[in-house]
Amino acid sequence: MRTVVFVLSALLIAYISYDTFTGRDFLHNVAYMRFQFWMCVFFIVDFFYELVFAPDRRHYLRTRWLFLLLSIPYLNIITYMQLPVTADEIYWVRFIPLGRATMALAIVVGYLSKNKVSSILASYIMILVAFVYFGSIIFFNAEHGPNPDVHSYWNALWWACMDTTTIGCDIQPVTVVGKVVSVVLAIMGILMFPLFTVYVTSMVTRVAQAHRSAPGEPTDGQ
């Protein structure tokens, strides 16, 4: 199931990236709309499958209810019901299934790590990388044209990396969407660096303890 989640997420990222770079109208792309609908259906099935086999179903619902909300095919619902939404709002809705997939993969990465601190760090790195890429895509879609400093996607990616590290960049957002993404990426960077510091401190402490307890090393009082 996790492998299928990974493959579907990669394909959806490819779809969104291609449509963004080419300026394609994804709402009229029948193949894309059908693909993301069945992807959401699979996510919903995966949610209830894990719920059935969860040791503590109440705990699973309390900790994973957001997974179910992110698995709903909102884009298909909006299109089918012809709800009055703007083009920018529609574009943001496209990323909802990817949010669900990113969270699920981050948990899987965490399970693969034996050390708790390393597990948290690996999960945060995956989420951070996803935010940087998605942020750069959204920023490029919003700023390309209105912003004379955004000539290509690589300008947007450079901006996203610099904004996440809180170093700053000479490219300044001029649209509302660009400014919102700027705040979100900066917050993610601020949350990430303290965790990295904790991980490095923990690793140095473990190495020092292992060195002191190594055979043949003198102990205190000898």
Side-chain angles (χ1 to χ4, degrees):
M1 297 287 280
R2 299 302 183 190
T3 302
V4 176
V5 168
F6 178 81
V7 172
L8 292 178
S9 302
L11 290 175
L12 189 58
I13 292 174
Y15 260 121
I16 293 177
S17 301
Y18 178 78
D19 289 348
T20 299
F21 298 149
T22 60
R24 190 175 184 181
D25 186 359
F26 58 89
L27 289 179
H28 295 90
N29 186 347
V30 178
Y32 168 78
M33 294 295 290
R34 184 182 296 116
F35 170 78
Q36 74 94 33
F37 171 76
W38 287 111
M39 177 179 179
C40 291
V41 170
F42 177 83
F43 285 166
I44 294 175
V45 172
D46 178 60
F47 174 85
F48 286 104
Y49 175 83
E50 292 187 355
L51 175 63
V52 170
F53 292 97
D56 188 345
R57 295 179 182 176
R58 291 184 179 180
H59 179 266
Y60 183 86
L61 287 174
R62 288 196 305 269
T63 57
R64 305 291 177 84
W65 60 270
L66 185 59
F67 278 41
L68 181 60
L69 293 182
L70 294 176
S71 301
I72 299 174
Y74 295 104
L75 194 60
N76 296 86
I77 295 174
I78 291 173
T79 304
Y80 178 78
M81 300 183 65
Q82 297 182 348
L83 299 178
V85 293
T86 64
D88 288 337
E89 292 170 344
I90 286 289
Y91 191 80
W92 281 81
V93 171
R94 299 182 73 189
F95 289 88
I96 293 179
L98 283 178
R100 194 271 188 212
T102 301
M103 294 173 62
L105 291 176
I107 292 176
V108 173
V109 172
Y111 285 155
L112 296 178
S113 178
K114 297 180 180 179
N115 180 268
K116 184 176 181 180
V117 177
S118 300
S119 172
I120 297 175
L121 181 69
S123 300
Y124 265 78
I125 289 178
M126 171 165 284
I127 294 175
L128 183 65
V129 170
F131 264 87
V132 169
Y133 182 72
F134 300 155
S136 66
I137 288 288
I138 296 173
F139 185 81
F140 175 74
N141 181 74
E143 298 284 329
H144 185 57
N147 194 333
D149 293 328
V150 181
H151 306 289
S152 65
Y153 168 71
W154 302 111
N155 298 128
L157 181 61
W158 169 257
W159 170 87
C161 293
M162 293 298 99
D163 191 70
T164 304
T165 57
T166 67
I167 295 176
C169 182
D170 56 351
I171 300 175
Q172 299 298 325
V174 298
T175 64
V176 175
V177 173
K179 293 176 182 179
V180 171
V181 174
S182 177
V183 173
V184 172
L185 291 181
I187 292 175
M188 288 298 298
I190 293 173
L191 294 175
M192 178 65 192
F193 285 113
L195 184 64
F196 179 75
T197 303
V198 171
Y199 174 76
V200 172
T201 303
S202 176
M203 181 177 63
V204 172
T205 302
R206 291 198 306 270
V207 171
Q209 291 177 347
H211 179 73
R212 287 196 298 266
S213 60
E217 291 290 333
T219 57
D220 295 340
Q222 290 185 344

